[in-house]
Amino acid sequence: MAPHAIGVAPSERIVHDDPRHPLYLGTWKQSKKADVQDFVYDDFEEPHRKRQKAILMKHPEVRSLYGNEPLTAFIGALATAVQLAVAYKIGCVWTDMHWSVVLAIAYFVGGTLSALYGVIIHEAGHNLVFKMGLLNRLTGLMVNLPMVVPISQSFRRYHLEHHQFQGVEGKDPDLPLDSEVKYIHNNPILKALWVFCYSAMYVLRGLAMKKTPQRWELINWAFTVFMDVMIVRYMSIRSLAYLAVSVFFGYGMHPGAAHFIQEHYIFRDGQETYSYYGTGNIFYLNIGLHNEHHDFPQIPWTRIYKLRRIATEFYDPLYAHTSWIGVIFLFIASPMQGPQARLVRKYKAHLSGRREYRVPDDTAKSTAQKRRDSVIASA
């Protein structure tokens, strides 16, 4: 491996072929010692930008999959209406319903729908619903309506930073905090509690970034507070409580939230991003295809499976999950899993990896080889 030349002038920098090509799997290994309380470190940048380039070199037709999917907004509107209708029934009609039944509905109906809202907010955050950015913002606000707390615009901001700085220490808001690693580590009881309260962890990580709220985040706050007041006024406080508990369930110990663990927690040495290929993708709009999404965030959920079918030689060799329930169980039960089971890189490694290593042009090599073969055959 060539040394990183931070601070070297671009004209003097030596550029090498990336040794991870074509799959962009690393050579790093997770420690097999269960008592290790530290992240796994790598000195290359994230794999997705270069794997995208490698795929486009071989399959330029993938660009035809880029675009938007307005159907997402219709699904979001329907899901929002259903959840508000249930909230009205629980708060204003089924007032004598036992609390245990209310909690069951909040988990199986409300939690399931709340997890779906997160998926739609994700699509809107990448401007994959409509061509116009404003309409994507409004789609995010629409599905945020029954979620009680302002999520959509802050998620958009921090999620795009996650894509830009995946695994970069101090810049990727998706990375667990040091306190999570220290206090949760590999204790199964604490990990179960951590998964159950994952929504709170997500909020704390955003607050730890200590960034000033942007205009759309403030709009999100004002809109959410106003809608919460309207729900209490025209439904009841019981309705609002049902919605709040639904969000807590849907972002915690729920199969629909397992993708938060599935996506980047280490399950195989050398691989930092993981996809899920299971039936949960049907309801949750293919959110499980995370390697594919990070490689091509320009492709909406209705076409992301086409990418996998086109570029099977890039995705078939990668380890993938087939059960979200299995992901949660393995994360809690395995002593090797915990908040520390994440790949981290320094910012300098992130920059130097992009500047000093290139994607080999297999297309050019293949063409040159064909020409040589032709010359040999005609000799």
Side-chain angles (χ1 to χ4, degrees):
M1 184 183 299
H4 297 310
I6 302 297
V8 176
S11 60
E12 302 175 2
R13 187 177 294 119
I14 299 175
V15 180
H16 307 268
D17 286 349
D18 196 313
R20 302 173 298 169
H21 182 78
L23 298 180
Y24 292 90
L25 296 174
T27 57
W28 51 266
K29 295 182 182 294
Q30 185 181 21
S31 173
K32 302 306 179 185
K33 298 180 179 179
D35 60 343
V36 172
Q37 294 193 20
D38 198 4
F39 298 115
V40 182
Y41 280 83
D42 188 24
D43 56 359
F44 276 96
E45 90 283 23
E46 52 83 19
H48 301 290
R49 177 177 292 198
K50 288 181 179 173
R51 190 159 62 217
Q52 180 194 85
K53 188 173 181 179
I55 290 174
L56 288 175
M57 284 180 178
K58 193 169 183 180
H59 301 288
E61 68 273 22
V62 165
R63 289 190 175 90
S64 67
L65 302 178
Y66 296 179
N68 310 94
E69 184 49 83
L71 174 63
T72 312
F74 173 78
I75 294 173
L78 180 62
T80 298
V82 170
Q83 178 71 327
L84 289 175
V86 175
Y88 172 78
K89 285 286 189 178
I90 286 177
C92 304
V93 181
W94 301 330
T95 54
D96 294 331
M97 181 178 287
H98 193 270
W99 64 267
S100 61
V101 179
V102 173
L103 288 179
I105 295 174
Y107 184 87
F108 290 105
V109 178
T112 301
L113 289 173
S114 293
L116 177 61
Y117 301 147
V119 175
I120 295 171
I121 287 171
H122 172 264
E123 291 287 303
H126 283 285
N127 286 341
L128 295 176
V129 183
F130 297 106
K131 291 182 179 179
M132 186 182 300
L134 175 62
L135 293 180
N136 287 282
R137 296 273 193 181
L138 295 178
T139 300
L141 289 178
M142 174 185 68
V143 295
N144 201 156
L145 195 159
M147 298 184 76
V148 179
V149 292
I151 293 175
S152 67
Q153 304 307 310
S154 292
F155 175 86
R156 175 191 177 107
R157 176 186 185 181
Y158 290 119
H159 183 68
L160 294 179
E161 289 181 2
H162 162 63
H163 273 262
Q164 184 178 2
F165 300 110
Q166 179 180 315
V168 177
E169 197 171 49
K171 291 184 174 293
D172 183 356
D174 189 61
L175 288 174
L177 302 174
D178 290 340
S179 56
E180 294 177 61
V181 175
K182 179 180 179 180
Y183 294 111
I184 305 301
H185 192 221
N186 62 3
N187 184 302
I189 296 176
L190 294 179
K191 284 192 291 183
L193 180 63
W194 181 86
V195 172
F196 195 71
C197 301
Y198 193 80
S199 57
M201 298 298 101
Y202 222 70
V203 172
L204 289 175
R205 292 174 195 171
L207 293 174
M209 301 299 288
K210 298 180 180 179
K211 294 190 175 183
T212 303
Q214 296 178 340
R215 179 169 63 95
W216 272 100
E217 290 179 279
L218 296 176
I219 292 173
N220 196 173
W221 273 93
F223 173 79
T224 303
V225 170
F226 175 77
M227 294 311 303
D228 288 350
V229 171
M230 292 298 100
I231 289 170
V232 172
R233 178 179 176 86
Y234 293 104
M235 294 187 192
S236 70
I237 191 68
R238 181 181 167 97
S239 298
L240 189 68
Y242 161 77
L243 295 175
V245 173
S246 295
V247 172
F248 184 77
F249 283 157
Y251 275 71
M253 190 73 74
H254 192 286
H259 66 89
F260 291 119
I261 298 172
Q262 158 234 310
E263 293 166 352
H264 295 294
Y265 286 86
I266 298 171
F267 289 86
R268 287 293 185 276
D269 290 338
Q271 185 174 332
E272 63 177 295
T273 304
Y274 301 81
S275 288
Y276 156 80
Y277 306 127
T279 55
N281 282 321
I282 298 173
F283 185 80
Y284 287 113
L285 314 186
N286 293 329
I287 192 65
L289 278 72
H290 206 63
N291 262 307
E292 293 83 349
H293 168 66
H294 263 272
D295 289 350
F296 290 91
Q298 312 94 324
I299 299 178
W301 65 274
T302 49
R303 298 170 217 160
I304 198 72
Y305 253 115
K306 293 181 181 179
L307 165 64
R308 170 164 172 71
R309 287 193 289 268
I310 290 172
T312 54
E313 70 273 29
F314 288 91
Y315 295 116
D316 281 353
L318 303 181
Y319 177 78
H321 298 283
T322 57
S323 169
W324 272 334
I325 294 176
V327 167
I328 295 175
F329 175 80
L330 184 59
F331 181 83
I332 294 174
S334 173
M336 302 309 301
Q337 290 296 328
Q340 74 281 355
R342 290 289 297 266
L343 187 73
V344 175
R345 52 183 54 87
K346 301 290 186 181
Y347 184 55
K348 287 184 177 181
H350 165 78
L351 291 177
S352 61
R354 290 189 173 180
R355 292 170 179 170
E356 298 173 29
Y357 294 93
R358 67 189 167 209
V359 177
D361 191 347
D362 289 343
T363 304
K365 292 179 181 178
S366 177
T367 302
Q369 184 63 44
K370 288 179 181 178
R371 288 174 180 171
R372 286 194 295 270
D373 292 343
S374 178
V375 170
I376 293 173
S378 62

